Amino acid sequence: TAGKLARVLMRQGKKPMLVAADIYRPAAIEQLTTLGRKLNVPVFTIKGMDPVQLASLAVTQARNVGRDVVIIDTAGRLAIDEELMGQAAAIRDAVQPDELLLVIDAMIGQDAVQTAAAFQDGVGVDGVILTKLDGDARGGAALSMRAVTGRPIKYIGEGEKIDDLAEFHPNRMADRILGM
């Protein structure tokens, strides 16, 4: 999703930098690095570094090399994982982002609502990216997440390809939920 978001922002004339801050899944770092190469977008990572320090250094580096957007890809979080939620809050405090987006899988259904509520309470969120709407999920959780967080759904993931991230349109989601 971070790579897909970078692609969307590039189309808007932005110069993003990706930050591979998921230190818990080495494959995540490699995957983001591969995507960065495909997109011709720099990926900042330092193996073994604390994600909070990594994010801070990345923002400084982005400024130094003329990048105007930094997308920090962190480890996935569950509502019950207090350690990772604390880490997300520490990253937020360290880098003072202009926008904090929660990426959530539409396939988890109403559990998405509890995760969104916990993330809003623990870290705060400015918007939501709802992924995997190309599968069987109809997106009913989208309505609940909007109500729980008070924040808009900004984008939806509609497939596996790098261009499969679309701007959210409420009327289309309503049609989907109603099976139209």
Side-chain angles (χ1 to χ4, degrees):
T1 301
K4 291 177 183 182
L5 183 58
R7 177 71 155 214
V8 167
L9 294 170
M10 289 169 62
R11 282 195 216 117
Q12 296 172 3
K14 302 289 184 184
K15 295 184 285 183
M17 173 185 275
L18 296 167
V19 181
D22 181 351
I23 62 168
Y24 303 100
R25 288 188 322 115
I29 294 170
E30 196 168 306
Q31 181 183 28
L32 197 61
T33 301
T34 300
L35 277 171
R37 264 189 299 237
K38 277 185 180 178
L39 293 168
N40 199 26
V41 172
V43 177
F44 187 88
T45 193
I46 299 173
K47 289 185 181 179
M49 181 175 275
D50 172 75
V52 178
Q53 291 176 306
L54 180 69
S56 294
L57 277 174
V59 170
T60 300
Q61 178 67 12
R63 285 187 186 116
N64 291 341
V65 298
R67 294 290 161 166
D68 55 6
V69 175
V70 178
I71 301 169
I72 302 170
D73 182 34
T74 62
R77 280 148 180 82
L78 299 173
I80 56 172
D81 193 330
E82 291 182 33
E83 180 183 344
L84 287 178
M85 292 293 276
Q87 183 185 83
I91 291 171
R92 176 206 60 213
D93 293 345
V95 302
Q96 298 289 306
D98 292 326
E99 188 168 47
L100 199 149
L101 299 175
L102 171 63
V103 178
I104 199 149
D105 183 337
M107 298 295 284
I108 67 172
Q110 290 301 314
D111 285 343
V113 177
Q114 292 151 338
T115 301
F119 200 88
Q120 179 65 7
D121 291 344
V123 181
V125 62
D126 298 306
V128 175
I129 298 176
L130 197 58
T131 66
K132 296 187 184 171
L133 278 169
D134 55 318
D136 292 337
R138 290 183 132 189
L143 298 175
S144 300
M145 280 191 293
R146 171 71 169 112
V148 166
T149 65
R151 302 294 188 227
I153 296 171
K154 301 242 179 174
Y155 298 98
I156 57 171
E158 300 179 306
E160 292 294 319
K161 295 180 184 158
I162 197 71
D163 290 315
D164 289 341
L165 187 69
E167 197 173 315
F168 176 74
H169 296 282
N171 57 329
R172 292 180 194 165
M173 184 60 67
D175 288 348
R176 180 187 192 107
I177 292 167
L178 296 172
M180 300 172 69

